[in-house]
Amino acid sequence: MTETAAEFPFIKVRINTSGMQPQARRAVGNVAVVGSAGAFGKAVANVPLQIGTVSEAREQFATKNDKGEFVGGPLYHAVRTALLQDPAPSRLFAIKTADAPADGAGAGSPPVPGYAAALAVAAALPVQLVCLAGETDVNRLKDLKKHVEEVSAAGNTRMGVAMVDPALAPASGKTFAQAADETYGPLKSDSSRMVLVAARVEKKQGEPMADVAAAVTGAIAGHPPHASVLMKPVNEVRIPLGSQFTGTEIHELTQKFIIPVIDPELIPGEGLHLGSGRSYTTKTDRLYVDVVRVLDHIEFLLKAGLIGSIGETRIDRLGMQALRSRIDGILSPLVASGVITAFTIDIPLLPILEAEEADRTPGQVNTLTTARTQRTVEVLLSVTYAGAVHFLDVSLAFKAA
């Protein structure tokens, strides 16, 4: 006799949790600091370490001397400087380089950091900003430029921050800005991946020079991508009053796409701020640092949000409508949070699929056939981004009563 299923419990519910898979998230304030630790600390070369506090930095990259003071090399001071920014980076990774003796240098000359090997390790780290500890040699900074451009092109987008040598002496008849741009011009990035900062910090005998690049790296990382870096405060950097840039020098540095560190007299109290918001680039379509960071953030969100569509969404009317809804769900929160102002989505296949088959032109039929054969769908997105005000032009007119 065939058994008949009982009615109880009357309703059977099957729960499918496939739609609850976690979506990939991208941090926006992670940094990597690469540099020489000298003979200090216990860190191993070319091994990335996540450092959360200054005490952890001391443990890995510094040594206590006979006076009970912690001393360290460029990496320790750079990591410490980046961590003391307010707001601070979300996460900081430090990589000690394997140093080699300088070729042809005399006894006591500082060793040459092995940046290439350390940066190769940094390529896999989830960071958005990278700097070289205490480095001002343009030839060595080229390794940083190569790193950020190549790794970004491979999909792990990031920017590099470099600093101008504070002791840079312009040739006769040239300004500091002209000398800096001529010296560091090879660092200009066609993809706007580099940031060049300048500050005439003082180097006292027996004390390390303030790491301006590390300070600015930490300062930028502490703010969301859509926040302009202009007028953001920079900590742990001191500039003698007589060495600060004049108004003319600030204007010239900005025109050369170099960010000067300044102490604006219009802001009460003493404190240094970033005097520009531009990347060190050969192109002006991605001139500002926040534009590059926002585009990188949107690119990641789209990739992470649409990866579930690959292999699942069919090239038909319902499939393309679902794809458009999915993109809308990714970008709408950016509008609500003020990251972008508006966006439009255009899927060229959708109007073809929505038309009756008999009404499609031969060209439309060919386009649809090609898409289905190659299994490729083109999506055109237009995003409206409202950048922050960088300049106010105020006209004051007096009138007689």
Side-chain angles (χ1 to χ4, degrees):
M1 185 174 103
T2 303
E3 183 178 349
T4 302
E7 294 88 344
F8 184 82
F10 307 117
I11 299 175
K12 187 174 182 179
V13 178
R14 292 182 177 85
I15 300 176
N16 184 350
T17 60
S18 61
M20 299 180 65
Q21 296 298 320
Q23 181 176 319
R25 299 289 181 182
R26 177 183 186 264
V28 295
N30 293 352
V31 305
V33 182
V34 177
S36 171
F40 305 101
K42 63 179 185 180
V44 179
N46 298 328
V47 176
L49 297 172
Q50 185 175 338
I51 306 297
T53 63
V54 175
S55 61
E56 291 180 6
R58 286 197 296 261
E59 180 182 354
Q60 297 293 339
F61 310 118
T63 303
K64 188 178 290 187
N65 61 15
D66 296 337
K67 299 179 181 179
E69 302 171 334
F70 284 97
V71 293
L75 183 58
Y76 166 67
H77 295 290
V79 170
R80 179 184 179 277
T81 298
L83 287 173
L84 292 178
Q85 300 306 306
D86 186 19
S90 302
R91 285 194 290 175
L92 186 147
F93 297 90
I95 304 177
K96 173 184 175 181
T97 57
D99 300 342
D103 294 334
S109 298
V112 178
Y115 289 127
L119 288 170
V121 174
L125 295 176
V127 298
Q128 295 78 51
L129 294 161
V130 186
C131 71
L132 303 184
E135 189 58 74
T136 58
D137 188 325
V138 65
N139 292 317
R140 298 176 185 175
L141 287 168
K142 288 178 183 177
D143 287 340
L144 176 62
K145 176 192 175 184
K146 179 181 178 182
H147 167 78
V148 295
E149 289 184 336
E150 291 184 352
V151 175
S152 296
N156 197 356
T157 53
R158 57 190 59 186
M159 300 185 74
V161 182
M163 65 177 177
V164 175
D165 185 354
L168 179 67
S172 178
K174 292 189 176 181
T175 64
F176 183 86
Q178 290 172 333
D181 191 45
E182 289 179 3
T183 302
Y184 292 90
L187 298 183
K188 280 189 175 180
S189 171
D190 294 339
S191 54
S192 303
R193 291 290 163 192
M194 289 296 295
V195 177
L196 185 62
V197 296
R200 285 194 288 248
V201 295
E202 186 178 17
K203 184 177 181 180
K204 297 182 179 179
Q205 187 67 26
E207 295 183 8
M209 178 183 66
D211 197 327
V212 182
V216 173
T217 299
I220 294 174
H223 293 86
H226 60 283
S228 171
V229 304
L230 178 64
M231 286 299 150
K232 296 302 182 289
V234 179
N235 298 332
E236 295 301 303
V237 175
R238 299 290 181 270
I239 305 176
L241 186 61
S243 299
Q244 293 184 12
F245 295 123
T246 64
T248 300
E249 287 179 316
I250 294 172
H251 177 75
E252 290 178 347
L253 286 166
T254 302
Q255 291 297 99
K256 298 293 185 181
F257 301 167
I258 302 173
I259 299 180
V261 179
I262 63 175
D263 182 8
E265 63 181 19
L266 297 177
I267 298 179
E270 294 185 1
L272 298 177
H273 297 74
L274 298 179
S276 178
R278 299 178 174 183
S279 58
Y280 199 51
T281 179
T282 58
K283 299 181 179 180
T284 58
D285 54 348
R286 294 188 180 188
L287 178 58
Y288 298 100
V289 175
D290 57 295
V291 171
V292 180
R293 296 184 72 204
V294 166
L295 289 174
D296 289 348
H297 186 50
I298 293 176
E299 178 184 346
F300 179 88
L301 291 177
L302 289 170
K303 288 180 178 179
L306 296 176
I307 190 66
S309 302
I310 303 300
E312 295 293 333
T313 303
R314 300 186 65 81
I315 304 177
D316 56 20
R317 181 175 58 83
L318 292 178
M320 294 302 97
Q321 289 175 343
L323 179 63
R324 184 172 62 183
S325 297
R326 197 160 189 166
I327 297 174
D328 186 270
I330 295 170
L331 297 181
S332 290
L334 298 181
V335 176
S337 59
V339 177
I340 59 177
T341 302
F343 65 90
T344 58
I345 306 170
D346 181 20
I347 304 177
L349 283 181
L350 189 53
I352 300 175
L353 291 166
E354 289 177 337
E356 293 294 336
E357 189 171 350
D359 297 333
R360 296 171 186 167
T361 65
Q364 291 176 328
V365 172
N366 182 63
T367 299
L368 183 57
T369 301
T370 301
R372 286 174 167 168
T373 302
Q374 299 180 356
R375 303 202 173 192
T376 301
V377 174
E378 181 183 29
V379 179
L380 305 177
L381 295 179
S382 177
V383 175
T384 302
Y385 178 67
V389 174
H390 279 203
F391 183 82
L392 283 176
D393 188 356
V394 180
S395 297
L396 180 62
F398 287 92
K399 293 183 178 181

